[in-house]
Structure formats: C-alpha cells, structure tokens
C-alpha cells in the first residue's frame, strides 16, 4: 500500500487517508493507493469506505507537475469510476480546497460531507484545460447544466454552503474531517443507506449548447478551454455516461496539447516561483505593523487603502489639512468600493477609517512607523527633500521606500544617511487593485530590507517581482519599447485602431492606444519632453500625439485622445482628428503609408517586447525570464493563456523571433538591435525556460 494513501480499519469501515503534502495532489502514488485501498476494503468484507485528506486539504487536484509528461496508469477517470463502482458505501469527508480532480474524486463517492470552511471547484480552465476525470459528466447530473457550466467556465471556487444548496455535497458538520466522516458513515449504515452512483443518475436537461459555446468563446477573449467545457457538458446530456466520459477525455487531451495549456501552467508555477529568490533564503524580514504613506493623491491613497485592507495601520502625511481631508475622501471612496462588493463589513469599514488610518501634516507623526512609502510628485528634487525629512524623523531600522516609476533609487538612497534602508516599491494604479509590485533593489539596499519588501507584498496579496535600477525598471522599460514599435507602425501605415484591434484579438484586454487614453496621454507627453534633451537623433519619435496633447486632449480624462469618449461610455470611437494629424506627419516626413496585416502587427509588437525583455534579463534588471512574464501578466494585461512574453517566445521558437528582429533591423538598425541574450540562446539552442530552470 503506498504511503500516499494510509489504510486503516475502524470496525466495519475502511478509512483511506490521503497523506501527500502539501495539498494531497493526486499524483501516481495517490491514485494507486486509492485503487488498492478500495480493493482491500472490498476483500476484507467491510461495509463502507471513508476517504479524507490529512493536513490542510482534501485532494486539491491532479498533480500539475505531471502534465506534459507521458500519463501513467491508473488514470484519474479510471480511479473515479472504480470508486463509484464499488459495492461498498463510499463517503468523502472534505476540508480545505477540493479542486479539479479532487472534487472529481469526491463526486465519484456516494455521499459527501464537508466542514463549514471547505471550498471546492473545477478550476481547470485556469490551466488551459477542462475537468478530465468525469467532472463534466457527474457535476451537471447533480447541479444541472447552467450551474455546472458556471462553475467550470469561470473556474471559481464555491463554499460549503453553496455546495450544499446545489446538491454537490450532502452534509456540513463542524469538526475534524475524520471524525465527522466516521460519524456520517455510521449514520448512513444505521439508516440502511444504499450506494448512490452519480454516474447512474439521469442525464441533465440540455440547453442551447451552440449559443452557450459561442457566448463562452467570445467571453474567453481568445482562451478556448471554457468553450470546450460547454461541449463536454453537452456530451453529458446527449450520450450515455461512458461515452460522455470518452468525449470528455478527447476534449481534455486536445487541450493538453495546446500552447494555451503550456502558457497557463507556466503562469501557475511562475507566480509561485517569482517570490522565491535564492538571495533571500534564510533572510528574516524586519517587523511590519505600521506603515507611513507620504502623499495622498491617487497612488498614495491607493497604497494606503491596500495596507489598511491587509490589516496594517497607516499614517498618511499630506502638506495641508485640506489635502489630508481630500486623501481621506479618496481612501474612504476606495474602502466604500470594498464595502459595496461585500469584501468588508460596515464595522470593518468604520474600524479602518477611524482607528487604523490616521492623517497628519507633521513628519514627526512618522516617528514610530516600520516602513514609509513615498508617493509624491515624480521629481527628483522633491523626492530628495521628502527623504531628507524621513531620514531625520523615522526610527532607526525604519525602511524608506519610494513608489517612483522610473527615478533612480540609487540617487535617492545616496541622499540619506541610511542607504541600506532605502528601496523602491513600485505599485501600479489603482494600487489597491493591481496585483503587481515591483520591488526595486538599489545597490546599497540591505538584504533584510528586500525581504521586508517581499513580505509587505505578500501581506498585501501582491505578486512581487524583484527589479534592478534602470529607467522604467522592468515593466515600464519594456512597455516603452513595444509602445514605440506601435508608434513606428502608425507612421509607416497602420492606424492606432487597427493596432488596438489586432492586439485585443491576440488577447490583451485593451490595445496600447486605448491604454494610453486610460492612463492619460499627458504622462507620455511629459516623458517624451523629459527624454528629448538626451535622445539619440536616430530614434524615431512621432510628434502627432504631442499635437493632440497641445490641444488639451489627454484621453478619457478629457473626453478625447486617440478615441472620443461620450459621457458615461468607457469605450470610445476613433478620433478623426488623429487620422488627420498622422497623415500630416507622414507627409512632413515624406513617408508613403503601406498596409499592415494584423498578423504582422502582432509579430512586430511581440518582437519588440521580447527583445527589450531579453535585454532586461541579460542586464540582470530582472533575475529570470519568468520575472518578466509575471510583470507583464500582472501589471500590463498580457494574456495569461500565452504564459507571458518570454514563454510565448519559447513556444514560437526563439530562432523565428530573432529572424524577425534581424529582418526589421534592415529598415531601422537603431530600434531593432538584437538583444545579446537572445542571440546567445539561439546560438546555443536554448530557451528562456532553460534559464528559469537553471535559476531555480
Ligand atoms: N499539483 C501540484 N502542485 C500543486 C498543486 C497541484 N494541483 N496545487 C498546489 N501545488 C503546489 C504549489 O505549486 C506550491 O508548491 C504548494 O503546492 C502550495 O501551493 C484531471 C486535470 C490548492 C488553493 O488547479 O489552487 O485536477 O511552491 O502556494 O496558496 O480534472 O495551490 O510550495 O513548491 O498555491 O495555500 C486542479 C491548484 C488541477 C489547484 C492552495 N487543481 N492549486 O493554495 O498554496 S488540474 C488546481 C491551487 C486537475 C483533473 C484536472 C492552490 C491551493 P511550492 P500554494 P495555497
């Protein structure tokens, strides 16, 4: 008997306890142990079997690390069908998160009990898959098609109460899974309960599956697995159970072979690996309970909100009482959103706004905070003044962080008496919503200060990425490159609208021009003016957007930018003035516009992104390629099912990407200078993933 499943007898009941930390994933040893355990219980003449998980959870799903390798028998659907076919009464006692194959195992048992805190679901779509162990056939037999599809196509977890209401489980009881499980089995035996194979329940009522398929495909914005789930559930309605299971397997295997499955599993493991840095092994973070925030504008208020929601006390400093009041208003507005969405109660809202948050105009109120995050105007002199004050009033060991999005943290650190305590914590707006946090490590930053930056990120529920110091760190530096590539394509013949459409079809939530309108065109305008004095004359920088800004058109906030926004409408319509400005600039430059296909637009855009990303990794600004992938996924709307730009590059073939870059360099060898790291990997026949593995 494999130790992954421990077999025990309690009277007439056989107990199969999963013991495969950390999440009782259904690896080969667990699957074998379940099959052996059921057979042994039958051979020993027991009356019932109880299955539960040791540790923090019932089975949390198939072992994702096995994906992409040759599957080993017993396959999970066969394990499920073997459990259901047992002549014994088989019962699950669930706790923690019974997900994917874990819930599928539970659905193959005859009765299900759970502790109140148990959660469950079929999140396979988040891995580019669908349930592949009979879940698409059993769940709709219990909940009906609509509810089953909602659970499968969103991949969202449901709580025990909702599961009980839906008929997914039969009972909720307080206590340890083993205890409540044994009591429930005994109760069922005493009541003469019979086996209740879900697979033998009537097929669920069908819906208009073609309409559901089309709607789900459209909602997936290029991701295909949710729509596949619709077809699998359709099989549950139209085919006998065994054939439905076979159809599910076909669809599952098709998805297993897709780039989207590779991309999403890369994202799953990378978002967990990105916070694990060898340099931080054994480094204790400093204690963190009270945070100071300097500046109560959009960013400062968002950062304060994120800290408050994560249980930290916040002292927010503004220049004047009026500004402090305005900041309080922004924070209460942010928290009001959380209240409205049911994320916090009214009592919690009151606690946060009256006790946890305090506002001040006096630097001395920061004397006891553990960490201060400055979010003032993006000007080096202003920042240095703020840091000088912080240096004077903050206690020894307090960490001084800047939220700057591009200024040199080394220079800021050097202006203080404690450079080792200075770090960059670059949040993304809105700071209490966006998950990305760039932890920008300056030359003098102490290791335990870096560790504290990551600890804060974890407390705030962020995905923290370590970044080195350069203009734009990781994300904005790469953004500047692919954004410039888009501008070049406009000058050469494409329109902003065609580019946005091509990139939303690729999977971005919004194209670069719509994003610019959302962020505000004045930000890019200020950056271009800041960089103009030192710009290389070979750089191609369009001026049509400057003309647009000179007319006071900054995008959504002024109602007009690349698009015109009617009052109250988020989506804009193309701004005809922009087309005139572009044509005028092309004429001025003597450029004859040419046609671009959507495919070329995507290839060029991605080539620019990958090339700059390879430079960022090659220079050590990002520790690993996966760090860049997580930055683009969590801060820049890169489509998760492509895994991230460097995972996508690996899947395209780095030689093809490099060939594109070299071809484009023939037109513009200044912008298209191949990244040395990319050339090296291609020459050595290696991939970005190889670098990730070497760094693990
Ligand atoms: N397989 C392998 N490793 C897993 C795993 C899994 N299913 N789930 C988690 N881990 C590892 C994770 O990489 C990390 O490792 C450690 O466990 C703790 O995870 C046939 C095909 C369960 C809610 O999608 O959602 O079943 O970094 O840091 O925050 O139909 O993990 O410590 O080395 O996330 O407490 C379906 C995925 C699979 C669940 C716990 N199941 N996991 O969260 O801890 S596909 C899932 C999660 C499937 C069948 C289909 C979460 C969690 P390390 P963690 P956590």
């Amino acid at each position: 008997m494999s130790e992954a499943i421990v077999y025990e007898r309690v009277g007439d009941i056989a107990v199969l306890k999963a013991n495969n930390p950390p999440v009782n994933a259904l690896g080969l040893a667990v699957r074998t142990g379940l099959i052996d355990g059921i057979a042994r219980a039958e051979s020993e003449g027991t009356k019932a079997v109880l299955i539960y998980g040791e540790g923090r959870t019932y089975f949390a799903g198939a072992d994702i690390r096995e994906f992409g390798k040759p599957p080993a028998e017993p396959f999970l659907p066969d394990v499920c069908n073997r459990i259901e076919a047992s002549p014994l009464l088989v019962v699950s006692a669930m706790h923690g998160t019974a997900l994917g194959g874990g819930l599928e195992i539970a659905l193959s048992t005859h009765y299900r009990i759970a502790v109140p805190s148990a959660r469950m679901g079929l999140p396979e779509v988040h891995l580019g898959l669908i349930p592949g162990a009979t879940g698409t056939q059993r769940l709709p037999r219990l909940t009906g098609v609509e509810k089953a599809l909602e659970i499968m196509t969103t991949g969202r977890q449901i709580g025990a109460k909702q599961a009980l209401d839906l008929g997914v489980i039969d009972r909720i009881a307080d206590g340890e899974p083993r205890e409540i499980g044994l009591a429930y089995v005994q109760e069922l035996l005493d009541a003469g309960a019979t086996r209740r194979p879900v697979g033998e329940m009537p097929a669920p009522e069908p819906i208009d599956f073609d309409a559901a398929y089309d709607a789900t495909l459209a909602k997936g914005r290029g991701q295909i697995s949710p729509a596949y789930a619709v077809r699998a559930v359709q099989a549950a309605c139209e085919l006998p159970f065994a054939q439905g299971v076979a159809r599910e397997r076909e669809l599952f295997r098709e998805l297993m072979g897709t780039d989207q499955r590779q991309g999403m599993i890369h994202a799953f493991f990378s978002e967990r690996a990105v916070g694990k840095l060898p340099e931080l092994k054994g480094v204790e973070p400093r204690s963190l309970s009270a945070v100071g925030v300097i500046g109560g504008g959009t960013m400062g208020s968002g950062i304060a909100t994120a800290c408050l929601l994560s249980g930290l006390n916040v002292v927010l400093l503004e220049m004047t009482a009026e500004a402090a009041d305005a900041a309080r208003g922004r924070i209460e507005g942010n928290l009001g959103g959380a209240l409205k969405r049911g994320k916090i109660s009214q009592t919690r809202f009151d606690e946060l706004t009256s006790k946890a948050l305090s506002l001040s105009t006096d630097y001395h109120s920061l004397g006891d905070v553990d960490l201060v995050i400055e979010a003032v105007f993006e000007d080096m002199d202003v920042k240095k003044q703020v840091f000088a004050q912080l240096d004077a009033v903050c206690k020894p060991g307090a960490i001084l962080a800047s939220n700057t999005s591009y200024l040199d943290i080394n220079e800021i650190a050097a202006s203080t008496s404690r450079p080792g305590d200075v770090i960059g914590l670059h949040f993304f707006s809105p700071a209490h919503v966006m998950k990305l946090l760039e932890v920008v490590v300056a030359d003098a930053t102490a290791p335990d200060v870096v560790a504290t930056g990551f600890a804060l990120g974890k407390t705030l529920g962020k995905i923290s990425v370590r970044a080195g110091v350069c203009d734009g760190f990781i994300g904005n530096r790469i953004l500047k490159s692919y954004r410039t590539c888009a501008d070049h394509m406009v000058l050469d013949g494409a329109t902003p609208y065609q580019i946005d459409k091509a990139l939303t079809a690729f999977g971005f939530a919004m194209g670069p021009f719509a994003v610019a309108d959302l962020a505000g065109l004045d930000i890019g305008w200020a950056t271009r003016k800041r960089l103009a004095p030192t710009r290389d004359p070979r750089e191609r920088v369009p001026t049509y957007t400057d003309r647009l800004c000179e007319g006071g058109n900054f995008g959504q906030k002024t109602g007009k930018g690349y698009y015109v926004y009617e009052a109250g409408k988020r989506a804009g319509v193309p701004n005809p003035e922009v087309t005139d400005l572009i044509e005028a600039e092309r004429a001025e430059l003597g450029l004859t516009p040419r046609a671009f296909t959507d495919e070329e637009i995507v290839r060029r855009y991605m080539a620019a992104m990958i090339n700059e990303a390879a430079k960022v990794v090659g220079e050590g600004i990002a520790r690993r390629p996966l760090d860049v992938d997580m930055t683009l996924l969590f801060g820049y709307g890169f489509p998760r099912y492509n895994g991230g730009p460097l995972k996508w590059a690996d899947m395209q073939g780095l030689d093809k990407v490099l060939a594109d870059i070299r071809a484009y360099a023939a037109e513009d060898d200044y912008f298209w200078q191949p990244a040395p790291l990319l050339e090296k990997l291609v020459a050595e026949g290696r991939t970005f993933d190889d670098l990730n593995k070497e760094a693990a």
Side-chain angles (χ1 to χ4, degrees):
M1 179 73 69
S2 89
E3 78 293 344
I5 293 287
V6 178
Y7 183 94
E8 185 196 350
R9 281 291 298 277
V10 178
D12 287 342
I13 303 169
V15 178
L16 303 186
K17 175 180 78 176
N19 178 32
N20 184 31
V23 297
N24 284 323
L26 286 149
L28 178 59
V30 176
R31 300 197 302 273
T32 306
L34 285 169
I35 293 271
D36 295 349
I38 290 284
R40 181 172 171 186
E42 288 165 359
S43 66
E44 291 182 357
T46 63
K47 289 187 180 151
V49 179
L50 170 66
I51 301 175
Y52 78 96
E54 177 78 321
R56 60 172 156 167
T57 181
Y58 187 79
F59 310 105
D63 188 332
I64 304 174
R65 284 164 304 202
E66 290 180 355
F67 293 171
K69 296 172 189 159
E73 295 198 74
F75 302 137
L76 200 50
D78 301 333
V79 177
C80 291
N81 290 336
R82 175 67 183 83
I83 290 170
E84 183 172 272
S86 174
L88 304 178
L89 207 64
V90 188
V91 178
S92 288
M94 304 156 81
H95 77 298
T97 48
L99 298 171
L103 181 56
E104 291 173 300
I105 289 281
L107 294 175
S108 68
T109 62
H110 304 132
Y111 293 88
R112 290 160 288 281
I113 185 169
V115 299
S117 60
R119 299 187 64 74
M120 51 203 80
L122 295 173
E124 287 85 344
V125 290
H126 296 321
L127 300 171
L129 295 167
I130 58 170
T134 72
T136 64
Q137 309 301 303
R138 288 196 168 96
L139 185 66
R141 281 176 161 80
L142 290 171
T143 66
V145 166
E146 301 275 1
K147 279 296 169 197
L149 280 179
E150 190 186 320
I151 288 168
M152 282 180 229
T153 57
T154 63
R156 269 200 288 271
Q157 297 176 12
I158 58 174
K161 178 73 179 63
Q162 189 182 359
L164 183 70
D165 295 345
L166 288 173
V168 178
I169 61 175
D170 305 290
R171 182 74 66 84
I172 294 177
D174 265 320
E176 290 304 309
R178 177 195 166 83
E179 279 53 51
I180 64 170
L182 283 170
Y184 187 43
V185 172
Q186 197 53 57
E187 181 189 320
L188 289 166
L189 289 174
D190 296 347
T194 57
R195 296 168 59 254
R196 200 183 51 173
V198 174
E200 291 170 17
M201 290 178 183
E205 283 303 307
I207 62 168
D208 179 345
F209 282 104
D210 290 342
Y213 177 86
D214 294 343
T216 306
L217 196 59
K219 210 166 145 218
R221 263 210 322 262
Q223 188 188 344
I224 59 174
S225 53
Y228 270 56
V230 173
R231 293 305 186 204
V233 171
Q234 180 174 1
C237 299
E238 297 173 354
L239 300 173
F241 183 77
Q243 289 171 42
V245 169
R247 178 70 182 132
E248 173 195 82
R249 198 88 193 134
E250 268 169 34
L251 294 167
F252 177 81
R253 284 186 189 286
E254 250 179 73
L255 289 172
M256 192 55 96
T258 62
D259 283 355
Q260 292 195 5
R261 187 271 304 162
Q262 270 200 69
M264 296 187 90
I265 287 181
H266 169 76
F268 175 85
F269 285 117
S270 297
E271 66 183 297
R272 287 158 176 80
V274 72
K276 291 176 185 142
L277 292 165
E279 71 210 58
L280 295 185
K281 225 170 172 58
V283 178
E284 271 309 301
R286 294 180 188 175
S287 70
L288 201 53
S289 61
V291 170
V293 176
I294 313 290
T298 307
M299 285 310 292
S301 302
I303 294 167
T305 306
C307 293
L308 290 167
L309 286 169
S310 306
L312 294 165
N313 290 330
V314 174
V315 179
L316 189 141
L317 197 74
E318 256 295 359
M319 308 278 279
T320 63
E322 296 71 26
D325 283 348
R328 173 179 286 282
R330 286 186 202 97
I331 293 167
E332 290 183 353
N334 293 340
L335 292 172
L339 178 66
K340 210 163 42 196
R341 285 191 301 280
K343 291 220 180 302
I344 57 173
S345 65
Q346 184 62 52
T347 314
R348 184 79 181 120
F349 176 91
D350 297 339
E351 274 167 11
L352 292 178
T353 50
S354 58
K355 296 199 195 85
L357 169 66
S358 55
L359 291 126
S360 167
T361 57
D362 176 1
Y363 270 92
H364 289 92
S365 55
L366 297 170
D368 295 332
V369 298
D370 305 306
L371 179 146
V372 184
I373 303 168
E374 159 277 311
V376 301
F377 186 61
E378 285 284 72
D379 174 279
M380 183 57 88
D381 293 339
V382 172
K383 301 241 187 233
K384 284 180 177 175
Q385 283 163 22
V386 167
F387 273 79
Q389 302 248 36
L390 294 174
D391 199 9
V393 304
C394 290
K395 66 186 180 186
I399 291 170
L400 312 183
S402 171
N403 172 56
T404 182
S405 55
Y406 65 86
L407 291 174
D408 186 339
I409 308 281
N410 286 317
E411 189 178 337
I412 294 174
S415 72
T416 70
S417 67
R418 49 171 111 181
D421 294 342
V422 176
I423 193 167
L425 292 177
H426 179 216
F427 290 82
F428 288 74
S429 186
H432 59 296
V433 174
M434 291 296 284
K435 283 188 73 82
L436 180 63
L437 173 65
E438 283 182 319
V439 178
V440 187
V441 180
D443 299 343
T445 305
D448 66 338
V449 172
V450 180
T452 312
F454 276 86
L456 175 67
K458 196 169 176 69
T459 303
L460 301 181
K462 302 286 182 187
I463 296 289
S464 305
V465 181
R466 184 201 186 286
V469 174
C470 72
D471 193 328
F473 314 134
I474 298 174
N476 283 345
R477 170 168 162 184
I478 295 168
L479 165 67
K480 180 167 176 281
S481 180
Y482 62 80
R483 189 66 187 68
T484 302
C485 171
D487 281 335
H488 290 174
M489 287 194 277
V490 168
L491 290 178
D492 293 335
T495 70
Y497 317 109
Q498 182 192 7
I499 290 172
D500 277 359
K501 186 173 69 60
L503 289 157
T504 43
F506 177 76
F508 281 91
M510 293 167 82
F513 296 95
V515 168
D517 268 359
L518 177 66
L521 302 184
D522 46 333
I523 297 172
W525 191 26
T527 303
R528 286 192 295 279
K529 286 191 270 190
R530 171 171 66 84
L531 295 174
T534 56
R535 180 173 296 136
D536 186 302
R538 291 171 294 174
E539 216 180 311
R540 293 178 76 196
V541 180
T543 56
Y544 74 91
T545 311
D546 300 343
R547 303 289 85 73
L548 199 54
C549 293
E550 284 153 11
N553 304 301
F554 296 151
Q556 286 196 24
K557 60 182 162 186
T558 60
K560 203 192 297 185
Y562 291 108
Y563 296 86
V564 179
Y565 300 88
E566 280 154 46
K569 284 194 182 156
R570 294 252 326 152
V573 295
N575 175 359
E577 295 163 37
V578 171
T579 311
D580 298 341
L581 289 170
I582 291 168
E583 281 166 7
E585 181 164 6
R586 285 175 185 154
E588 212 178 289
L589 295 169
L591 291 172
T592 309
R594 70 172 177 84
F596 280 80
T597 62
D598 289 359
E599 201 263 343
E600 178 183 3
I601 287 171
V602 170
R603 287 201 77 81
R604 280 178 176 266
Y605 194 80
M606 288 306 299
M609 187 185 298
I610 293 157
N611 200 37
E612 195 63 31
K615 292 173 185 171
V616 161
V617 176
E619 294 165 23
I621 299 294
R623 275 279 187 262
R624 302 153 292 191
L626 70 89
D627 295 53
V628 170
D629 285 344
M630 292 307 101
T631 300
L632 272 290
L633 242 55
F634 288 100
Y636 295 80
F638 190 88
R640 186 180 175 92
Y641 57 77
N642 285 327
L646 297 182
K647 179 63 184 175
W648 186 84
D650 280 351
M651 295 194 284
Q652 299 302 308
L654 297 191
D655 54 341
K656 293 192 182 71
V657 175
L658 182 57
D660 281 349
I661 293 166
R662 285 176 170 154
Y664 305 149
E667 310 148 10
D668 174 352
D669 62 2
Y670 175 73
F671 179 77
W672 293 105
Q673 297 175 47
L677 175 63
L678 183 57
E679 293 184 305
K680 183 170 185 287
L681 289 174
V682 171
E684 295 167 356
R686 291 197 301 155
T687 62
F688 287 114
D689 243 1
D690 290 331
L691 297 184
N692 290 328
K693 290 189 186 86
E694 284 160 21

